[in-house]
Each structure stands twice: as C-alpha cells, then as structure tokens.
Amino acid sequence: MKIDPITFAVVKNGLDSIADEMAYTVVRTARSEIVKDVMDFSAALCAADGQMVAQAKTIAQHLGAIPEAMDSVLTAFADDLHDGDVVIMNDPYHGGMHLPDIFMFVPIFHGGVRRAFAVVICHHTDVGGRVPGSNASDSTEIYQEGLRMPPLKLYEQGRINRTLEKLIRINVRVPDRVLGDLAAQYAAAQVGRRGLEKLMQRYGADELEAYMQELLDYAERLTRQEILTWPRGTWRFTDHIDSDGLSDAPIPISVAITVRDDGTLAVDYSGSSPQVRGALNSTLSFTRSLTYLSVRCVLAKDIPNNVGLFRCVDVTAPEASILNPAMPGACAARALTGYRVFDAMLGALAQIVPDKVPAAGEGGNSVICISGLRPNREPFIIVDMICGAWGGRPDKDGLEAVTNASQNLSNMPVEIMEAEHPVRIEEYAFVPDSCGAGRFRGGVGIRRTYRILAAEALLQMRTDRVRFAPYGLSGGQPGGKSSNYMEVGGERRALPGKITTSVQQGTLIVHEQAGAGGFGDPLERPPEAVFEDFLEGKISRDYAERFHAVVLTPESTLDRDATAALRDARGRARPVATAA
C-alpha cells in the first residue's frame, strides 16, 4: 500500500491525541490522590501484534516496559482474546515493574478481527503485602510485597470476572480506591477503543494498520539517522545508590554505551551491583524502559515515541543483578534504581552529545508513605512522591519543584493531603544553598514536613542522595545532599534514607530533598544572576562568595568592584570550593 504523507501525519497526530484523551479520562475519573493528583499513571496504544505505536504524555518510566508486559499477555492468551476482554497483570516476573503498577490491556476489534490494544497503567495506593502502600524498600522477597497477578482476565467478553474482583478486594487495604482506579483505567481504555474505531471507520482497518507499521518504521529510520551523526566508540559512567537500607554498602550502577556503525546502540550494564536484599531490584523490562527513555531525551523532538525507537537500542544486564533480578528478589522500590539508571545513562551520553545533556537532577522523587487507622478504624494511606529539581543545562539554569525528567509527576497539593488524611504539612519550601553551582546552576531542593495527627502511624521513607550528591557537568559543582529528621517533643534526631518505623501522634517528620548539579564553571556565572538568586532566597551571602566569587555589601547589594577583584584574584583556572 502506498503511504500518503498527509494521511500519515493525520494518523500520527490522531493516535497521539487518542492516547492523551485516555490520560485525561484517568485524571477525571480516578479515586486516589496518587493517580489523580500525583498523576502516577500511563496510557498507550499498541498495534494488533502488541507493538506500541503511540503514548500519552504521562509517566515516561512506565512506557518502555509495555513491550515485555504485552509479550506476557500474548503468550498467556495467544488466540484466546475476544471483543470485550480486559486483561490485567502486575507481576514483575511476568513483564511488570512492581506490584502497585497494574497494567490493563484491552484488545480492540473491528470486523471480528483484532486490530489494536489500548493500554493503561496506574500506580495503585495499595495491593496488600506486609506494609500499607505495598511499596516498602525494606522488603526482602516478592512474596512480602502484595498480591501478584500474572496476566488474568478481569473482563471476559464484556462480563466482569467476579472471582478476580473479590480476590483483589479482600487483599487490599483500601478496596474502594483500588477498584475505583481500576474502573478509571477501564474507562480510559474504552475512550481509546472508541477513538481507534473512528479512525478505522474513516480510513479503513487495513489501512490504519499499515500506517501504524509505517509509523514504527519511521521512528526507527529517524533514530538511526541521528545516531549515525554521533561519534563511534564506547563511553562509560558509574553512579551510586546510597544503600538498600538493609546494609551500608553503596550500590553501583555502571553503564557502557557503544555507538555502532549501523546507527544503533549497545547498552551494557556489566559492573553494576548484584541483586540486593532490599526491594530496589529493577526487572529487566524496567531497566530497558529507563534506557530507552534516556536515549529518547537526547534525540530530536519530532521522532515519534514508539517501539521503532526501541529497535535501535540493545540492552544487556547480568542475570541476578540489581538490573535483572532473579526470583524471589523484591522490587517494590525499584523506581529509585530506575532513576539512577537514568542518571548513569545521561552521564555516559554527556560524553557523546555534551550539548544535549544536563547535570544530574535531585536523584528521583522521594517517597514518604504515612499510614494508619482513623478513629473509626478505617485505614488511611498517604503515598507522597516529592518532585524536586533539574540539573543545570548547557544553556540555562535547572528548574525546581518539578517532576524528575524521567517522570511526569506532580507534587501532591498540601490542601488535598490535609483534607483527606490525618496529617498537617507545616512547611513546604526550598532548601537554600542546595543547588549545585555552575555557569548555569542546578535547581534547589525541597523541604517538606509532616505533623502526625493520627493516634499512631507507620512511616515508610524511600529517599536517596544522602551520601552521593547529584553530579555536576563541565566544571559544575554537585548538588546538595538530602537528609531526613524526626522531631518528638522538640528533640530532633536524624533518620536514615530508607526506613520503616512506627511514629506517635504529634511527631514531626522532616525531609530535605537533594538539590541538582550545576553545569559549567561557577566563576562564569554573571554576578547579576548570582545576586538575583540571593534576592530570591535560593542562595546565601556566603554561598555567593564561596562558589561564585560574588561579593555583597553589608546592605545586601551587589559590590561590583569587590567582585571583580575577587574573581581576578582567584583566576578562572583555579578550582572552586567543593560543596560540603
């Protein structure tokens, strides 16, 4: 069939619009804060053979895992998929990521023939297991983490599977929220089905399938063309996770990227840590997803986000490693490892395409989970994912109070959290001096404090960058490190980055997230920009002088003469101070 370029563009944009409308439907109909407010969900469309052809502007980390999850669905059901069927799964060892992320696949038929799939993924508030939220970093095997589901039919030819529904309801702590969010996924998938049906009615089912396949090939061609402009060779980078919370051993994430002559990449994670006892293990599907995402971040914006791009990236990770664990390795907190894969990948890519890569961000969102019982004995579960800071970029400063670049999350509004749960947010602010200094500074970190109002609660923290600060690039300084505290009766004590512990009413929990790394020589930052950072409260007088050789008068104005003299005395080649 001849591909018409105008129709091709219309179909491409139509598929993207349908996927986005699926995402809007989730936001409008979801029950839990983690989905409708934090927006931890994804939506995509796949061709009849399962290849992802379009994705919504949602959680980027999820989407690269769809191919393996899709393979498990097609393997499980082969030809036993019918109009009205709905398949769900969450098992990391069947192509999933971690148990709270439930995939939903809806086959779409036209004229009695399967033509496509609508796919919706949501992070659910709870899926059972040893702790509320099912997301603890200190679980030691998958069996502790909640209800595992291989591909199973939630609906069979339009009729809900009451047995599976009851099994889910009895195994989760907040069934109304979980089943409500599953209903939101179902509603979004139906929006995808109706949208594709309209496209098939307009262009014909066979023609639409042909354009879908061309869209995949088109993405592959564009990706190969761009990679062919990169220098050949192998580039390496290693970053670290502080620990798994059960031992003090740092966890290396090492990557080697080889640019090959055919316009493809070989990405090898040999040298990364063996799988760990804690729940930081990342399934190979998730490792691949972060790898694809990292490469996508440095490619041209007009390359479609689909499996065609994935074809150009070959990923290998040692078996029984933290990036390719063996059963029964725990995976609940695998997102932290995914963030560090992203940081390591960008560190290597910065050596290949230095004008396209920022310094390291905050290291991934922090997860503060607070749970307990209300006075009426009904459970509450807060899953707060704090989004922080971007690193300084080759041409501009980093951002703050925004989603990590590998995600598309939102900070939960204070008003929503306080209205729904027995907790009071007493401070939500920037952490001065936490930004990495540079010609373009990194974003500053965030401080958030939680006063426990329930009689008793369980606190779970999954934070990082306490020991290993976010790196700077091209002479930029590292960002500030993160920290955690607990205050009881006016007495403050430090908390480790990963902990599960009981807390009493009145306890204040304090989390300070890491700031992001800087880009370029700090002495090349214009004094006016440094002074503006000071006026905005992002840096102190001491920081301005120590890192940027910018002097302020006792009246807190810019002293241009003293600044020029201090910068001249230091000299541009002299190393600047290192952040504490």
Side-chain angles (χ1 to χ4, degrees):
M1 182 185 115
K2 184 178 180 181
I3 299 297
D4 173 61
I6 295 176
T7 303
F8 176 79
V10 172
V11 168
K12 173 188 176 299
N13 292 329
L15 293 171
D16 289 340
S17 296
I18 293 168
D20 283 338
E21 187 59 35
M22 291 166 62
Y24 299 144
T25 301
V26 173
V27 173
R28 290 194 293 265
T29 59
R31 293 288 301 277
S32 67
E33 297 90 20
I34 194 171
V35 177
K36 66 182 179 180
D37 295 306
V38 179
M39 300 197 298
D40 194 345
F41 72 94
S42 294
L45 296 170
C46 295
D49 60 359
Q51 295 191 79
M52 186 176 67
V53 296
Q55 56 182 250
K57 298 175 183 68
T58 49
I59 298 296
Q61 287 190 358
H62 289 170
L63 296 162
I66 287 178
E68 289 188 48
M70 189 85 251
D71 285 347
S72 73
V73 171
L74 294 175
T75 298
F77 293 104
D79 296 327
D80 187 23
L81 287 172
H82 308 282
D83 197 5
D85 285 355
V86 175
V87 178
I88 61 172
M89 59 86 69
N90 72 343
D91 183 21
Y93 294 99
H94 280 84
M97 296 178 290
H98 70 160
L99 297 183
D101 285 336
I102 299 179
F103 289 71
M104 179 177 288
F105 299 88
V106 176
I108 298 169
F109 289 77
H110 187 83
V113 178
R114 189 178 75 224
R115 300 291 186 172
F117 286 89
V119 185
V120 186
I121 309 164
C122 283
H123 180 129
H124 286 260
T125 305
D126 184 78
V127 288
R130 55 178 279 267
V131 293
S134 317
N135 203 27
S137 60
D138 61 347
S139 295
T140 57
E141 58 179 4
I142 191 72
Y143 304 110
Q144 299 173 341
E145 297 186 312
L147 181 64
R148 290 175 63 201
M149 293 181 287
L152 299 169
K153 288 187 180 182
L154 181 61
Y155 284 81
E156 295 187 66
Q157 299 185 49
R159 298 181 61 184
I160 191 167
N161 181 339
R162 295 296 179 187
T163 300
L164 179 55
E165 181 192 38
K166 290 177 182 178
L167 186 66
I168 294 171
R169 178 180 291 277
I170 202 171
N171 274 282
V172 303
R173 295 172 176 85
V174 284
D176 289 345
R177 293 194 173 211
V178 172
L179 293 173
D181 286 348
L182 280 172
Q185 290 179 253
Y186 180 82
Q190 299 311 308
V191 168
R193 178 181 60 79
R194 290 194 295 271
L196 279 177
E197 285 175 348
K198 290 179 181 179
L199 279 182
M200 287 186 279
Q201 289 168 5
R202 180 174 181 180
Y203 296 106
D206 291 340
E207 289 77 5
L208 182 61
E209 282 198 78
Y211 278 103
M212 284 182 174
Q213 294 302 319
E214 175 58 23
L215 188 57
L216 300 175
D217 295 341
Y218 176 69
E220 181 181 359
R221 288 197 302 273
L222 291 183
T223 302
R224 285 179 182 265
Q225 288 172 11
E226 185 158 347
I227 291 174
L228 284 171
T229 68
W230 296 0
R232 307 294 184 270
T234 299
W235 287 264
R236 294 177 169 81
F237 194 87
T238 298
D239 205 343
H240 292 82
I241 299 170
D242 292 339
S243 73
D244 71 347
L246 299 177
S247 79
D248 292 330
I251 301 171
I253 305 295
S254 297
V255 65
I257 302 176
T258 300
V259 182
R260 300 188 291 207
D261 291 334
D262 62 351
T264 65
L265 303 176
V267 180
D268 183 9
Y269 290 100
S270 297
S272 297
S273 168
Q275 78 181 67
V276 295
R277 185 163 173 254
L280 300 183
N281 299 295
S282 166
T283 60
L284 186 57
S285 64
F286 192 60
T287 300
R288 285 174 171 153
S289 185
L290 269 297
T291 305
Y292 302 146
L293 163 63
S294 305
V295 174
R296 180 66 189 88
C297 284
V298 301
L299 297 175
K301 293 180 180 179
D302 57 353
I303 296 177
N305 297 318
N306 63 38
V307 168
L309 184 153
F310 302 171
R311 296 171 183 168
C312 303
V313 184
D314 295 326
V315 182
T316 56
E319 292 185 4
S321 71
I322 192 171
L323 303 181
N324 185 14
M327 276 284 291
C331 304
R334 92 314 176 206
L336 174 55
T337 302
Y339 287 122
R340 209 58 71 247
V341 168
F342 182 68
D343 290 338
M345 279 291 297
L346 290 188
L349 288 166
Q351 302 168 57
I352 303 172
V353 283
D355 59 333
K356 295 185 177 182
V357 179
E362 81 295 295
N365 65 273
S366 304
V367 179
I368 312 298
C369 183
I370 302 170
S371 58
L373 297 177
R374 304 178 192 276
N376 63 0
R377 305 297 295 172
E378 288 187 0
F380 72 89
I381 303 174
I382 302 169
V383 184
D384 194 18
M385 296 186 174
I386 303 174
C387 304
W390 286 18
R393 292 165 283 180
D395 58 350
K396 55 179 70 73
D397 291 342
L399 302 173
E400 46 263 324
V402 296
T403 181
N404 184 276
S406 69
Q407 291 275 40
N408 199 6
L409 295 171
S410 174
N411 282 317
M412 189 186 301
V414 170
E415 298 82 359
I416 294 292
M417 194 185 310
E418 292 181 338
E420 295 283 343
H421 306 290
V423 67
R424 184 170 65 240
I425 305 302
E426 299 195 348
E427 187 177 14
Y428 180 30
F430 289 140
V431 180
D433 294 349
S434 59
C435 49
R439 170 68 179 85
F440 298 104
R441 64 163 177 79
V444 296
I446 286 178
R447 179 188 299 114
R448 202 158 188 172
T449 69
Y450 309 77
R451 180 75 67 180
I452 306 302
L453 303 182
E456 185 180 19
L458 184 71
L459 169 69
Q460 302 167 58
M461 304 187 83
R462 189 216 72 192
T463 68
D464 204 56
R465 293 297 196 190
V466 176
R467 298 166 66 182
F468 297 94
Y471 59 78
L473 287 177
S474 297
Q477 290 292 296
K481 298 176 182 178
S482 67
S483 59
N484 302 295
Y485 302 96
M486 176 188 294
E487 288 186 6
V488 181
E491 182 178 343
R492 171 178 286 200
R493 66 180 179 91
L495 293 175
K498 302 165 187 68
I499 188 173
T500 299
T501 185
S502 295
V503 290
Q504 301 302 313
Q505 188 175 47
T507 300
L508 185 70
I509 307 301
V510 181
H511 171 60
E512 292 186 352
Q513 195 173 48
F519 192 102
D521 185 350
L523 294 181
E524 293 180 0
R525 185 167 180 80
E528 295 77 12
V530 177
F531 183 52
E532 184 176 351
D533 290 339
F534 169 75
L535 292 178
E536 292 181 349
K538 293 179 179 178
I539 64 172
S540 65
R541 176 189 300 268
D542 175 70
Y543 182 104
E545 186 169 332
R546 185 158 48 108
F547 289 104
H548 295 290
V550 169
V551 181
L552 304 179
T553 68
E555 295 76 25
S556 297
T557 61
L558 179 60
D559 190 330
R560 298 181 184 277
D561 292 339
T563 294
L566 181 58
R567 287 193 165 189
D568 183 64
R570 284 192 184 174
R572 295 194 178 272
R574 181 179 175 181
V576 295
T578 301

